[in-house]
Every structure is written in structure tokens, then in C-alpha cells.
Amino acid sequence: MTDAVDAYGKKMSLTPALVTVNDSCGSGAGGLWPSGDDTYKMRCSLEVTAYFGAAPDRIGDVLQSILSAGDRYKASHPTGEGGVVSSQNDFASKLVAYYKGKGPNPLGPNAQEPTQLLDGTETLEWDTVRSPQRPVLINEPSTCIQPDPPIRRCTHQPEPKTVADIRRQYGMVFTLRQPGTTYFEILKNDTRNGER
């Protein structure tokens, strides 16, 4: 995820502004920290969200740079590792045309402004900037629950930065989110997945 955040900041027209990390471990049904799932004894997962600033009047160029970088990444990673969004679908090219003022809303003439691209395990979302309706804005990250290692860890870096701060500074906010990725697991038969 760190590589992806760096790539979005260095190779695309986005400015990294905030990263949140939620790391949590739990046990299956009947364990010390029960989840109700009976297939494993213990599982740890990590969820990372990166927040970026961008200029609203450049959203078409920003999306084009993101998709072009995704194309380059996919060309150099033919096995499909990583979930970097790319222009290799019809919706993505129509989305860029819409935001550059060269095409209609790809969701339809009366649809809400698009605010999301999905690919593999990544989700890219952004504030609405063209919608005449009430704006749809990226929310503030959830407040970190008191850390309790090894069960739960949470960080916001930099700590005092908020989504509102990013929006005031740059004009609009993008997020790149990778949902909970399991990095360690002990199954009921004591086999371990992800141990390093």
C-alpha cells in the first residue's frame, strides 16, 4: 500500500496529504476475541486509506494521469498483482471525457456525478465537482479507537490533518482505499497463513 500511495503521489497529479491505518486481530468462535467465524483460531488484517488533494478544475487531467499510470503498472505486472485502476475499460475512458467536458455523464443523462473507480482490491473515490445537486464529499476518517496491541492498532499520519484541511488547501479530496487485507491467520487445524 505504501508503494501505491507513493505512486499516486509521484506519478499522478495528486498530492498525498493523510494516511490512516487500521490493524486488528481477532479469534474465531469461542476464542479470546471472538468474531463468530468458526473457520480459524486467529486472524489479523490491515486496512489502509490514503487521502490526496487535487484542484477541482483539473479533475479530468488528474483522472487521466491516474488511469495512464495504471496502464503502465499493468503493462509491467502482467500477472495482475496489485489493483491499480487503469483505462482498460470503456467506463474509464468515458469518465475522463465527461470530466474534460468532451462527453456525457457515463452513468446516464439524469444520473448523479460519478465519484468512484474500482479495480481489483483498490477503490478510488473523490468529491463531486460538477453536480448541480447537493455535493457528495469524502468523509473524515473514523476516529481511532484507543490502541490495544496486539488486538488493535490505529494511526492517522499526520495526526492533526483532517479531510476538511485537505479540501481547504487543494480544493477537493481523493481517497485510495484497500479494504481489510488478511496478513496472518491460524486455521482450526493449526496451519498458518501469512506468517513471516
Side-chain angles (χ1 to χ4, degrees), residues 6 8-9 12 28-29 38 43 46 65 100 122 148 165 188:
D6 287 345
Y8 272 68
M12 306 173 199
D38 195 37
R43 178 181 292 159
L46 189 68
S65 73
K100 287 188 172 185
E122 290 185 358
D148 185 18
D165 292 337
K188 286 185 74 174

Side-chain angles (χ1 to χ4, degrees), residues 23-25 33 144-154:
D23 185 2
S24 61
C25 295
W33 316 299
C144 280
I145 299 171
Q146 182 66 33
D148 185 18
I151 303 169
R152 181 178 56 248
R153 290 179 292 180
C154 174

Side-chain angles (χ1 to χ4, degrees), residues 125-183:
E125 296 179 285
W126 56 90
D127 293 339
T128 56
V129 296
R130 296 186 59 182
S131 177
Q133 302 146 338
R134 185 176 177 202
V136 177
L137 303 175
I138 298 297
N139 293 322
E140 295 287 345
S142 300
T143 303
C144 280
I145 299 171
Q146 182 66 33
D148 185 18
I151 303 169
R152 181 178 56 248
R153 290 179 292 180
C154 174
T155 62
H156 290 189
Q157 296 176 347
E159 188 67 44
K161 182 78 82 172
T162 67
V163 169
D165 292 337
I166 301 168
R167 192 173 290 115
R168 274 192 298 272
Q169 183 174 358
Y170 298 100
M172 69 177 296
V173 178
F174 276 79
T175 64
L176 174 67
R177 185 175 70 251
Q178 288 187 333
T181 301
T182 298
Y183 64 87

